[in-house]
Structures are given as C-alpha cells and as structure tokens.
Amino acid sequence: MSATPQSLQITAASPDPALLDLPWHIPLAEWPAETLAALPRGISRHIVRFARLSGRVIAIKEIGETVAYREYELLRQLSRLDVPSVEPVGVITGRRSPEGEPLEAVLITQHLQFSLPYRALFSQSLRPDTATRLIDALAVLLVRLHLIGFYWGDVSLSNTLFRRDAETFAAYLVDAETGDLHEKLTEGQRSYDLEIARVNIIGELMDLQAGEFLEEEVDAVAIGNALADRYRELWTALTSTESFGFGDRWRVQARIDRLNDLGFDVGELDITTDVDGTTVRIQPKVVDAGHHSRRLMRLTGLDVQENQARRLLNDLDEYRAATDRQREDESFVAHDWLTEIFEPAVRAVPKDLRKKLEPAQVYHELLDHRWFVSQQEQRDVPMQEIVKSYIKHILPTRPDEQAILGVQASDLREDEGDLPGDLLIG
C-alpha cells in the first residue's frame, strides 16, 4: 500500500502509475466524458463507470472502504481458483474533493473484453431463445462456484457478464460484494443461493418485458424455474454417486465420457466395491471445467471458450479425416490445421472489423455460414469463398463487442437491412 501526495491510498498487486492521472478528486458520477469509455452498463446499486487506462478499459465502482477491500480479496481468490470472473485491479481510498470533503473508496476491475451485460444483449436482434441460453450459462457458472465452496448471495443476470461461446454464452461473475468463500457449501447454502437466483431472474426478465426488450409471451417464471432444473441436472452429473453391478465396469468410462461432454475433466474418481465384490460405486472427487478448451490449448495454443473449443476441435477432426491423417500424431495435424485453415480465415478479416467479435467466435460463425451457403448452393463451398461472403454480408452488421464505445445499451438495436433471415447469426 502506498500513499501519494494527494493522500490517496492505492492497493494493487501491480499498480499502474497512470492511475494517478484519473480525476479521483471528483465524485464518480461527475467524471468528464473525455475520461470515460461509454460501455453499456448493467443495473447496479452503486455508481459504476468505465475509463481508459494505458490502452485498456477499467471498470470503477464507488463503494464503502471495507466492502471494497473484501470484494477485491474475494475476486483475487476466485482468479487464483480459475473461476470465470472479472480480474481485480485495485482499491483506492483516501479520496477527497478540492473542498476537502471525503469521497467514497473505489474498487477497480479489468473490463472483460467482448463481454456484455444482459440488457445490452437483449437490446440487439438476437434469437428468441436468448434468455434460455443465458440461463444455461449462468447455471454452469453457479455450479462451478458452488463446487469450490463460493456462496454468491446475490445471483442475478445483473451481476453477470456474458461472452459469446459458439452458439451459446459463457457467464462471468462481476459482483462478489455479497459473496463468501467456504471450504464446502452446505445443502442449505446451495439451495438458498439457487432460490435467490431463480427469484432475481424472474424479476429481471419481467422488467425486460415491461421495457419491450422481451416478448410478452415469454414465460419468465418458467425460465427462472429452468435455471433451477439445469443447475440440479449439472450438480447431480458432477457429484452424485452411481452404483452398478460388478460386470458393468464399462460404466466407469461412460461416466467419465458424460462429464467430458458437459465440459468437465475428471481429476479423480472415488471407486469402492462391496465386500463380496458384486456392486461398484463411483463418485467424481475432483471435477475441473474446461475439458475441451484445455485440449485445444494443448494442441494449438488457442485460448478460447469451452463451446468454441468444442466446435473448433470438431472442425480439426473433420480436417484430419478429409486429409486422411487419422493415424498421424494429433499435434502435427493440429499445427497444420491452425496454420493452413484457422489463421488464414481469421486474418482475412479487415483490421477495421476485428473489434466485432473474438477470432474464435468469428471462425465459429464462418463454419455456420459455410454450412448455410453450401446447403443453399448444393455444393461444398471452399472456406476462401465463405470468408469473402461472411465479411461482405454478415460481419459488418455486428456490433463491436470488444468495446462498444460511445454507445448506450438503448441504442444497440441493429438495423438488419435487407439480408435474408438465415444469414443473421445471432
């Protein structure tokens, strides 16, 4: 912790000297526009602003000093545990106005690139099942948090950021203010957290309907209940004990395959048998999310979301089969796929369009576009043609999701123009 001549106290693992250039003597609500990055903001009980800092964007939240330090430490712990959450930058206290009036402390986090709050997503022209896909992402996040013993205390769409992950979304925890990390959660803690999530989400979806961002016929209560169902399904798959006859030992591998399909690696299985050896019981003891993303990282070095990794691995497998290289070392084939297929496709995107989507998401949409155009033309269209078509007809219609600067959430509705509906990949 270090003091500056302005009596500021900056707590940060790696403090950026540029922090001192920001107007900490002004209440956050009154910061000048030239300092801010006008990213779409979610609903928050505190004042939150985005600012540019050393070529990046940070989120700044005015909050009580004790709570700021506590949330900062919680976010650091979640980061060390590799849980999807925003990265903490630091806490600043000792702020005073030019008149000497004390100002609230601030918590600073790194803005998560290519992410959007749920309200900004609903202000775009997305598929009708967007709410369901967001709920699925939030259920996965909540299960991951509960597996490591984190009680959230205020689960909601508002306290979550979403990034595109192939045809789905990946959820990231933003607000850990009410959270608490335990060695293990009780059944009651998990159930209460889940009920908070269900009630909050129903309210948020009803609020979207009132603002005409969500169709009236969408059943908000059913979607809230679906979160609870999806959570229980995932939790059971990851933690339940399974018993079967001694002759059905193949079910051990089947259980592992099922967990892999859900995107989780099995670090260890607890396998026990009866005294007479007639019954086998298995239970995962350690489950880690990111099975497909870790495999893709190992093969290609690409660091992407889980479902994006699944899609890219499928394309890698198709490339391997098409080139008749099934018997070759997978890492050699993966290198050729990366340099001959993936990289040329994403590098073909003009520089002025590269803030639209992450490279892995662009490639996922290229695969979707190739399927559609191939179906339409009844031929296997080469990727080079698909890239040109996608850049001309699809990508320009997308918002810049890396950092939507100078745009408010209410202004994010896209004008889809005269493109055919099938070409609009939401």
Side-chain angles (χ1 to χ4, degrees):
M1 186 177 294
S2 60
T4 74
Q6 292 81 17
S7 298
L8 293 179
Q9 301 292 321
I10 302 177
T11 300
S14 301
D16 187 336
L19 282 170
L20 299 176
D21 298 331
L22 295 174
W24 301 114
H25 61 287
I26 301 175
L28 198 54
E30 300 172 13
W31 275 26
E34 60 267 20
T35 302
L36 302 177
L39 294 170
R41 298 191 298 269
I43 298 174
S44 173
R45 66 175 68 87
H46 304 286
I47 295 174
V48 178
R49 295 291 184 268
F50 297 97
R52 296 178 178 87
L53 181 76
S54 302
R56 56 179 173 156
V57 176
I58 56 173
I60 306 167
K61 177 169 69 173
E62 277 188 340
I63 194 172
E65 180 176 335
T66 302
V67 180
Y69 281 123
R70 184 176 180 278
E71 185 170 1
Y72 173 70
E73 289 301 326
L74 272 175
L75 288 173
R76 290 187 68 190
Q77 291 180 64
L78 291 177
S79 180
R80 285 194 293 268
L81 292 167
D82 200 27
V83 172
S85 55
V86 292
E87 178 185 341
V89 174
V91 174
I92 295 184
T93 60
R95 299 172 62 214
R96 289 188 176 274
S97 70
E99 295 75 29
E101 294 293 324
L103 301 176
E104 271 201 308
V106 298
L107 171 68
I108 306 170
T109 56
Q110 182 83 25
H111 171 63
L112 185 65
Q113 286 193 336
F114 297 103
S115 68
L116 289 170
Y118 79 102
R119 282 181 166 268
L121 283 166
F122 275 100
S123 69
Q124 302 175 34
S125 298
L126 295 175
R127 294 169 180 164
D129 67 343
T130 299
T132 302
R133 291 188 288 151
L134 296 184
I135 293 308
D136 281 346
L138 186 52
V140 172
L141 175 61
L142 188 56
V143 166
R144 291 188 64 177
L145 290 169
H146 285 178
L147 283 170
I148 63 158
F150 185 81
Y151 173 79
W152 197 338
D154 192 15
V155 190
S156 66
L157 296 171
S158 300
N159 289 335
T160 312
L161 282 174
F162 296 91
R163 297 174 76 174
R164 295 182 188 276
D165 183 9
E167 72 281 0
T168 65
F169 290 96
Y172 287 74
L173 178 145
V174 177
D175 194 330
E177 180 183 338
T178 57
D180 205 4
L181 195 58
H182 303 265
E183 184 175 341
K184 183 179 180 180
L185 294 184
T186 66
E187 182 70 26
Q189 286 172 318
R190 289 196 306 106
S191 297
Y192 189 61
D193 223 11
L194 185 58
E195 179 61 14
I196 290 172
R198 190 186 70 84
V199 172
N200 281 347
I201 286 164
I202 291 171
E204 287 169 322
L205 294 179
M206 287 181 173
D207 183 54
L208 285 173
Q209 288 176 321
E212 299 183 353
F213 288 104
L214 185 63
E215 294 85 353
E216 288 186 9
E217 59 269 21
V218 172
D219 190 337
V221 174
I223 292 176
N225 292 339
L227 168 76
D229 294 339
R230 176 65 168 153
Y231 170 93
R232 294 188 185 103
E233 175 191 355
L234 281 171
W235 186 265
T236 298
L238 293 168
T239 64
S240 66
T241 300
E242 183 178 3
S243 298
F244 49 86
F246 194 72
D248 293 332
R249 284 175 291 179
W250 58 270
R251 291 175 59 177
V252 175
Q253 186 58 47
R255 179 72 181 274
I256 294 174
D257 291 342
R258 167 63 176 153
L259 294 175
N260 289 167
D261 288 342
L262 291 170
F264 289 84
D265 268 339
V266 180
E268 186 178 354
L269 282 176
D270 184 11
I271 303 178
T272 58
T273 62
D274 289 348
V275 176
D276 58 3
T278 59
T279 304
V280 179
R281 300 174 71 248
I282 62 170
Q283 180 178 16
K285 293 184 68 177
V286 180
V287 285
D288 297 320
H291 171 74
H292 299 94
S293 58
R294 276 195 295 275
R295 181 185 166 213
L296 186 69
M297 170 73 85
R298 174 176 57 80
L299 289 172
T300 67
L302 294 174
D303 185 9
V304 307
Q305 302 290 337
E306 180 66 9
N307 287 306
Q308 290 169 344
R310 189 195 305 262
R311 188 74 185 278
L312 268 58
L313 286 168
N314 286 341
D315 192 60
L316 169 58
D317 290 339
E318 290 178 14
Y319 168 80
R320 191 177 190 183
T323 54
D324 194 22
R325 300 174 66 182
Q326 290 95 330
R327 295 185 181 182
E328 285 191 41
D329 187 295
E330 188 179 38
S331 60
F332 293 138
V333 181
H335 175 267
D336 290 345
W337 171 85
L338 181 69
T339 56
E340 297 174 9
I341 306 298
F342 178 83
E343 288 181 346
V346 297
R347 274 204 296 260
V349 175
K351 287 185 178 180
D352 61 325
L353 295 178
R354 290 180 183 173
K355 289 186 178 181
K356 296 287 186 178
L357 296 167
E358 292 177 286
Q361 186 66 24
V362 167
Y363 194 78
H364 162 73
E365 295 198 356
L366 282 170
L367 295 177
D368 276 350
H369 192 51
R370 183 173 66 179
W371 178 89
F372 168 74
V373 175
S374 297
Q375 289 286 314
Q376 194 175 53
E377 299 189 9
Q378 292 296 297
R379 67 184 179 97
D380 187 11
V381 182
M383 182 59 84
Q384 294 90 333
E385 290 184 39
I386 293 300
V387 170
K388 293 178 182 178
S389 172
Y390 176 78
I391 292 173
K392 180 179 180 180
H393 296 295
I394 303 296
L395 195 55
T397 69
R398 310 301 249 141
D400 290 355
E401 293 188 2
Q402 182 179 35
I404 303 179
L405 304 178
V407 180
Q408 296 301 318
S410 59
D411 300 326
L412 288 175
R413 291 191 182 277
E414 296 181 69
D415 180 5
E416 306 293 3
D418 298 323
L419 283 172
D422 299 89
L423 291 180
L424 301 179
I425 306 169

